[in-house]
Amino acid sequence: MIRESPSQVVGEAVPNIDHAVSVSLPTWEATVGYEEGEDWVVSKMSSGYPRFFFHPIIQTLSQRVEEKFGRSKEKCMIYPSYDIAKRCRAFIQEKAPQKTPVRLLQLSTPEPKSEAEKSSVIATTIGVVFFPTSVASLAKNYWQHAGEGISSRLAEYLLKTLFDESSSGQHSIKFNPVDLGASKSELQAKKIQALSPSLSVRKPRKDENMQESDIHIEQKYGRVLDLKFGDAAKTALRKRITGGLAEHVQQSTDTPLNYEDVYLFSTGMAAIFNAHRALLNSQEPRMSVCFGFPYVDTLNILKKFGPGVHFLGMGDDKALEELEENLENGSYNIMGLFCECPSNPLLKTPNLKKIRQLADKFKFAIVVDDTVANIINVNVMPFADIVVTSLTKIFSGDSNVMGGSLFLNPNSPMYSSLKQFFDKDYEDTFWVQDALVMERNSRDYAVRSKKVNETSLAIVDFLQKSPLISKVYHPSVSESKKYYDEIKTPNGGYGGLISFLFHDANDAVSFFNSMDFHKGPSLGTNFTLACPYTILAHYQELDEVEKWDVDRNLIRISVGIEDKDDIVEVIKFSLDETTKTHKL
């Protein structure tokens, strides 16, 4: 991969395409400015991580819906199903002052009228939540934590289908006045003003082979998304995920893995959220344990939905002893334990074998998030009841689509009850266009993963030799490496996420600002991506997270598939520049 010049423009989409997942925050100061809500950063934001930032296309759709159906001092959020909208309403009403009015609207797009239309027209139903502006922050909490909001591609389709009088025919909205609190006369379909959102496409770079056929270019960059292949793409994804794990499962003694036990979601966080919902609804609701310091919204889900959480943030052997003691003496009566293997951003791996023994003894479920390592590098299935993965990351790589998966272990003692829940409750809300893009992106993820593994080891070695750096975090050099090695696949590696600290906090700022990488949220991208992680993810609780060894000056790098020497050279240059600054 030829390394593209990283964006140094504050607020620019990364990559600079319509449906980008990340955004450029090229300096430490820009990241702080974003967290502080400073206008010089926020006013320039054309993109952002989708659960934290409303994509401009989603903003436009929301405005159209509010103009058409909203009331005074109301805002709305749009979800890919009515049931999800009901969950959002319940969350707002539970947290908001009593008698806060929250309304729901259900809208549907038309069925294709012919066989030919099946390539570009698909029937879908959405749920709209209307709420007073006074509780907008609560509504945004649900959007962020649960990860169940509509994608930018679905919003684009809805804008064209529901709000555009195009040459292909005038489409009227089908109204389903469920729980709207309005009369039928208020819900009669009306023609809506024409809106013609343009569909732009990422152009090939100059360094790419311009002799490719037009058809190949369209297929590669996503302009042609034949909707009638959506179901096939989803099946291919489920089989690809299954195959990645099945290769390492002892088929002679275990029930074979089946792709029908894989459930797709619109985001990785939605997979975690629905794993939690499954535990709450398939047994008596009890508290959970969050073992190890996780990505921020995993803990938020366990805190804000259901009976609550015991947080064992260190995630080490001592924490495991504390867990066992509390289970033995009855202080903990839990329904599930959630952990990451390895954790983000400290790259710790828990002792899954011991946790599995405790789970079998005390009858609780284990939910493992293997996103950071990915299913090529680790096999956590023998120890987990549920495996969740953010497909947005290295599985996709291109940073242009969100997605998540949830895999039920058929050998779990809880399999029957969990399967029964999903058979009854699961909704496939993974938008077909997103599935088509995800399927294309992930075809070579195993090859990309291997390259990232090799490059990352070289970077870890280089960073450890720098006298400026005080600590490097990576599964290959972690104190918990022995537990990672127990779940590492025969041909697997240690993944591409690396965190590190400087002896001097000022050096961290200098180094970060001089790095010629893309800088912003997310990980697992095909291009190397860096961020001052704690500032970005925990700015409002810097003192609190330091109790769990998450230093406020931590820098995190997600290694891409560029040439290894090029990546090392960028880091070397930044260290050299930092050394010069340090001597001044």
Side-chain angles (χ1 to χ4, degrees), residues 21-87:
V21 165
S22 191
V23 62
S24 178
L25 296 170
T27 64
W28 198 284
E29 294 79 10
T31 307
V32 172
Y34 167 72
E35 293 297 332
E36 292 277 6
E38 294 180 10
D39 185 68
W40 71 275
V41 178
V42 176
S43 65
K44 298 176 182 177
M45 300 282 287
S46 63
S47 183
Y49 198 74
R51 287 189 302 101
F52 293 84
F53 178 85
F54 294 106
H55 192 285
I57 297 173
I58 295 176
Q59 292 182 43
T60 300
L61 176 64
S62 298
Q63 289 168 4
R64 297 294 182 270
V65 172
E66 288 165 3
E67 290 166 2
K68 188 68 183 177
F69 305 109
R71 297 172 182 172
S72 176
K73 297 182 179 180
E74 275 189 337
K75 300 294 288 182
C76 82
M77 285 188 182
I78 303 170
Y79 289 94
S81 83
Y82 183 69
D83 282 345
I84 295 175
K86 287 197 296 184
R87 291 201 284 272

Side-chain angles (χ1 to χ4, degrees), residues 102-355:
V102 183
R103 305 185 298 121
L104 300 186
L105 171 67
Q106 184 168 283
L107 302 175
S108 298
T109 64
E111 299 269 0
K113 296 177 181 178
S114 65
E115 190 65 29
E117 270 200 344
K118 289 182 179 179
S119 292
S120 58
V121 176
I122 187 169
T124 190
T125 297
I126 60 171
V128 185
V129 185
F130 290 95
F131 47 85
T133 54
S134 60
V135 297
S137 61
L138 283 176
K140 192 172 187 296
N141 281 345
Y142 186 87
W143 179 281
Q144 174 187 324
H145 301 334
E148 296 189 305
I150 61 168
S151 73
S152 54
R153 285 187 181 84
L154 174 52
E156 190 172 61
Y157 181 82
L158 292 168
L159 274 172
K160 288 180 65 67
T161 306
L162 300 180
F163 289 83
D164 183 23
E165 295 179 3
S166 65
S167 58
S168 61
Q170 296 179 356
H171 296 291
S172 297
I173 300 177
K174 285 174 58 182
F175 292 84
N176 297 286
V178 183
D179 201 24
L180 180 62
S183 65
K184 289 184 178 179
S185 60
E186 290 176 302
L187 300 172
Q188 290 177 347
K190 296 179 180 179
K191 291 181 180 179
I192 298 171
Q193 277 189 329
L195 176 73
S196 301
S198 60
L199 293 175
S200 61
V201 183
R202 171 196 179 281
K203 295 180 180 179
R205 300 189 307 272
K206 290 181 179 179
D207 53 40
E208 290 175 330
N209 182 4
M210 298 308 294
Q211 301 303 312
E212 294 173 300
S213 69
D214 290 341
I215 292 177
H216 178 69
I217 290 175
E218 289 191 347
Q219 288 177 340
K220 186 173 183 180
Y221 299 116
R223 184 159 56 190
V224 176
L225 296 176
D226 194 325
L227 302 188
K228 70 173 179 286
F229 295 123
D231 287 343
K234 292 179 183 182
T235 299
L237 286 169
R238 295 166 74 194
K239 289 182 176 179
R240 191 166 296 153
I241 293 164
T242 306
L245 284 175
E247 181 182 351
H248 311 294
V249 174
Q250 297 297 320
Q251 302 287 1
S252 60
T253 57
D254 293 338
T255 302
L257 300 182
N258 190 321
Y259 80 92
E260 292 185 351
D261 289 326
V262 176
Y263 299 88
L264 299 177
F265 293 90
S266 54
T267 66
M269 198 50 59
I272 294 172
F273 178 69
N274 280 278
H276 185 50
R277 287 186 60 240
L279 298 186
L280 287 170
N281 288 278
S282 62
Q283 57 180 288
E284 177 189 353
R286 290 170 288 163
M287 293 183 73
S288 297
V289 162
C290 183
F291 193 81
F293 191 89
Y295 176 71
V296 56
D297 280 315
T298 298
L299 187 57
N300 279 327
I301 287 170
L302 302 179
K303 282 181 177 178
K304 298 183 180 183
F305 299 87
V309 61
H310 301 292
F311 182 35
L312 301 177
M314 297 307 291
D316 54 13
D317 289 344
K318 185 176 179 181
L320 192 52
E321 290 173 5
E322 181 182 348
L323 172 64
E324 183 172 18
E325 181 180 346
N326 284 317
L327 289 168
E328 291 284 2
N329 65 28
S331 298
Y332 286 5
N333 178 24
I334 63 173
M335 65 176 185
L337 180 146
F338 289 70
C339 65
E340 298 174 346
C341 289
S343 64
N344 176 19
L346 299 183
L347 289 311
K348 291 183 180 180
T349 304
N351 182 350
L352 283 182
K353 283 187 177 180
K354 178 64 175 179
I355 293 173

Side-chain angles (χ1 to χ4, degrees), residues 269-569:
M269 198 50 59
I272 294 172
F273 178 69
N274 280 278
H276 185 50
R277 287 186 60 240
L279 298 186
L280 287 170
N281 288 278
S282 62
Q283 57 180 288
E284 177 189 353
R286 290 170 288 163
M287 293 183 73
S288 297
V289 162
C290 183
F291 193 81
F293 191 89
Y295 176 71
V296 56
D297 280 315
T298 298
L299 187 57
N300 279 327
I301 287 170
L302 302 179
K303 282 181 177 178
K304 298 183 180 183
F305 299 87
V309 61
H310 301 292
F311 182 35
L312 301 177
M314 297 307 291
D316 54 13
D317 289 344
K318 185 176 179 181
L320 192 52
E321 290 173 5
E322 181 182 348
L323 172 64
E324 183 172 18
E325 181 180 346
N326 284 317
L327 289 168
E328 291 284 2
N329 65 28
S331 298
Y332 286 5
N333 178 24
I334 63 173
M335 65 176 185
L337 180 146
F338 289 70
C339 65
E340 298 174 346
C341 289
S343 64
N344 176 19
L346 299 183
L347 289 311
K348 291 183 180 180
T349 304
N351 182 350
L352 283 182
K353 283 187 177 180
K354 178 64 175 179
I355 293 173
R356 181 71 259 170
Q357 292 170 5
L358 294 177
D360 290 339
K361 181 176 181 179
F362 294 98
K363 311 302 180 186
F364 61 84
I366 302 174
V367 181
V368 180
D369 181 350
D370 66 356
T371 298
V372 169
N374 84 63
I375 57 178
I376 295 298
N377 289 326
V378 298
N379 173 27
V380 300
M381 188 63 84
F383 310 104
D385 300 280
I386 300 175
V387 179
V388 291
T389 308
S390 173
L391 305 180
T392 309
K393 309 305 191 297
I394 195 167
F395 187 83
S396 169
D398 278 340
S399 193
N400 63 354
V401 65
M402 299 279 281
S405 66
L406 182 154
F407 204 153
L408 295 181
N409 182 355
N411 300 290
S412 162
M414 299 184 180
Y415 175 78
S416 295
S417 60
L418 291 170
K419 186 68 173 176
Q420 185 176 8
F421 170 81
F422 283 106
D423 284 347
K424 179 181 179 181
D425 187 85
Y426 173 72
E427 289 185 286
D428 179 5
T429 58
F430 191 30
W431 178 237
V432 292
Q433 290 174 313
D434 294 322
L436 287 162
V437 173
M438 182 69 74
E439 193 281 319
R440 288 180 191 171
N441 291 354
S442 61
R443 291 175 187 176
D444 63 347
Y445 86 102
V447 176
R448 289 185 282 108
S449 177
K450 182 178 180 181
K451 182 174 179 59
V452 166
N453 289 340
E454 295 171 352
T455 301
S456 298
L457 290 177
I459 294 171
V460 168
D461 181 63
F462 186 79
L463 289 171
Q464 285 187 311
K465 293 175 180 177
S466 170
L468 298 178
I469 293 175
S470 62
K471 186 167 184 178
V472 178
Y473 301 85
H474 188 251
S476 66
V477 294
S478 171
E479 293 178 1
S480 61
K481 178 178 181 292
K482 60 184 178 181
Y483 299 133
Y484 188 99
D485 288 342
E486 288 178 348
I487 59 174
K488 189 166 75 72
T489 59
N491 297 315
Y494 294 95
L497 203 63
I498 305 169
S499 300
F500 51 97
L501 293 172
F502 284 80
H503 291 287
D504 187 329
N506 293 322
D507 287 348
V509 177
S510 175
F511 174 86
F512 184 81
N513 288 350
S514 64
M515 262 196 308
D516 190 27
F517 290 138
H518 285 294
K519 301 171 200 174
S522 198
L523 59 93
T525 49
N526 289 339
F527 48 87
T528 299
L529 182 66
C531 70
Y533 180 82
T534 315
I535 298 295
L536 185 62
H538 298 282
Y539 188 72
Q540 304 302 326
E541 50 181 5
L542 294 175
D543 292 336
E544 176 64 26
V545 300
E546 284 191 339
K547 297 176 184 177
W548 308 106
D549 287 350
V550 183
D551 193 283
R552 65 187 63 205
N553 298 303
L554 187 82
I555 293 175
R556 190 189 74 181
I557 291 180
S558 174
V559 177
I561 59 173
E562 305 97 334
D563 183 81
K564 176 177 63 178
D565 292 338
D566 287 348
I567 299 176
V568 172
E569 184 60 32

Side-chain angles (χ1 to χ4, degrees), residues 88-96 100 102 129 131 135 138-139:
C88 177
R89 176 182 63 178
F91 177 82
I92 295 171
Q93 291 179 328
E94 178 188 347
K95 309 293 183 183
T100 297
V102 183
V129 185
F131 47 85
V135 297
L138 283 176

